[in-house]
């Protein structure tokens, strides 16, 4: 099926760049041409997409910062623990942005500006490492610059050592801290 649009529709679509001309007898031609004084503006080149420096879609502006020299973003064991824990809070990985500070050394100002972070969860990362001017004890929920921040040791994400009483206690402390945050 061939669809032919009327000249006035085409002219409306291209009103700033194309015109309908008339012949000598005053009859409209169906031809469309550029005006003589029109100068074509350069078309901007599409910039290369920024390399994605975090994992996730950041839908709820929850940034997770870890430091793992063995993984691009986060190792599978930590990811599994994190997925289960966040799932209990009705948060999925698409709601978050996971940054591996070992591969992408960013500061709080960058995280806040580029990801519009409302919540930052740090695992095995200190506030000093992300450029904050203060320290926070593990599991303490801290508000700063419109952002809720909580830190925990990286071991709270391990599953292999989860049978030890120490790790179970650490996971419980993290869970209690996460429940105090209004995600």
């Amino acid at each position: 099926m061939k669809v032919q649009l009327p000249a006035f529709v085409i002219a409306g679509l291209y009103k700033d760049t194309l015109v309908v001309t008339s012949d000598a007898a005053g009859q409209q031609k169906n031809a469309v041409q550029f005006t003589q004084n029109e100068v074509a503006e350069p078309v901007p080149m599409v910039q290369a997409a920024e390399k994605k420096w975090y994992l996730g879609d950041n839908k709820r502006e929850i940034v997770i910062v870890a430091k793992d020299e063995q993984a691009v973003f986060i190792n599978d064991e930590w990811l599994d623990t994190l997925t289960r824990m966040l799932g209990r809070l009705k948060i999925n990985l698409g709601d978050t942005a996971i940054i591996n500070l070992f591969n992408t050394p960013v500061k709080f100002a960058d995280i806040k500006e580029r990801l519009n972070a409302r919540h930052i969860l740090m695992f095995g990362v200190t506030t000093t490492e992300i450029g904050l001017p203060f320290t926070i004890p593990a599991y303490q929920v801290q508000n700063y610059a419109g952002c809720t921040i909580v830190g925990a040791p990286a071991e709270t994400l391990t599953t292999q050592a989860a049978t030890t009483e120490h790790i179970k206690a650490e996971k419980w402390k993290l869970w209690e801290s996460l429940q105090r945050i209004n995600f």
Side-chain angles (χ1 to χ4, degrees):
M1 180 169 133
K2 186 176 179 182
V3 176
Q4 186 172 5
L5 297 175
F8 73 91
V9 173
I10 295 173
L13 292 171
Y14 299 97
K15 64 183 178 221
D16 295 329
T17 56
L18 300 174
V19 296
V20 177
T21 60
S22 299
D23 64 7
Q27 300 269 339
Q28 277 195 344
K29 292 183 191 176
N30 287 331
V32 179
Q33 65 186 28
F34 286 97
T35 60
Q36 290 179 347
N37 60 355
E38 186 172 15
V39 178
E41 293 189 25
V43 176
M45 292 184 59
V46 176
Q47 294 179 352
E50 180 182 6
K51 179 184 172 197
K52 192 152 181 191
W53 52 282
Y54 59 91
L55 177 66
D57 296 328
N58 196 31
K59 290 179 183 174
R60 291 178 54 186
E61 299 163 338
I62 302 168
V63 178
I64 299 164
V65 183
K67 191 166 54 174
D68 183 358
E69 60 186 69
Q70 302 296 322
V72 175
F73 294 108
I74 191 169
N75 69 57
D76 291 340
E77 178 185 16
W78 292 5
L79 185 63
D80 181 54
T81 302
L82 196 57
T83 301
R84 284 187 281 114
M85 192 171 291
L86 292 175
R88 291 184 191 119
L89 295 167
K90 308 288 188 249
I91 299 169
N92 64 50
L93 291 179
D95 296 331
T96 69
I98 300 174
I99 301 170
N100 185 349
L101 204 60
F102 186 81
N103 295 326
T104 310
V106 294
K107 299 296 181 192
F108 174 79
D110 293 328
I111 294 169
K112 185 73 176 143
E113 180 183 325
R114 295 171 72 190
L115 295 176
N116 197 29
R118 292 185 317 119
H119 309 287
I120 298 178
L121 310 176
M122 302 181 306
F123 295 96
V125 175
T126 66
T127 54
T128 308
E129 290 176 287
I130 61 170
L132 288 171
F134 53 85
T135 59
I136 303 173
Y139 312 112
Q140 178 178 309
V141 177
Q142 181 70 45
N143 292 311
Y144 176 75
C147 190
T148 305
I149 304 166
V150 68
E155 66 187 12
T156 57
L157 295 178
T158 62
T159 55
Q160 294 173 347
T163 56
T164 68
E165 291 304 314
H166 170 71
I167 297 299
K168 286 180 182 178
E170 296 297 306
K171 286 180 187 282
W172 184 253
K173 290 177 193 175
L174 175 61
W175 175 245
E176 288 177 329
S177 294
L178 293 177
Q179 287 182 312
R180 289 193 303 265
I181 299 172
N182 184 21
F183 290 106

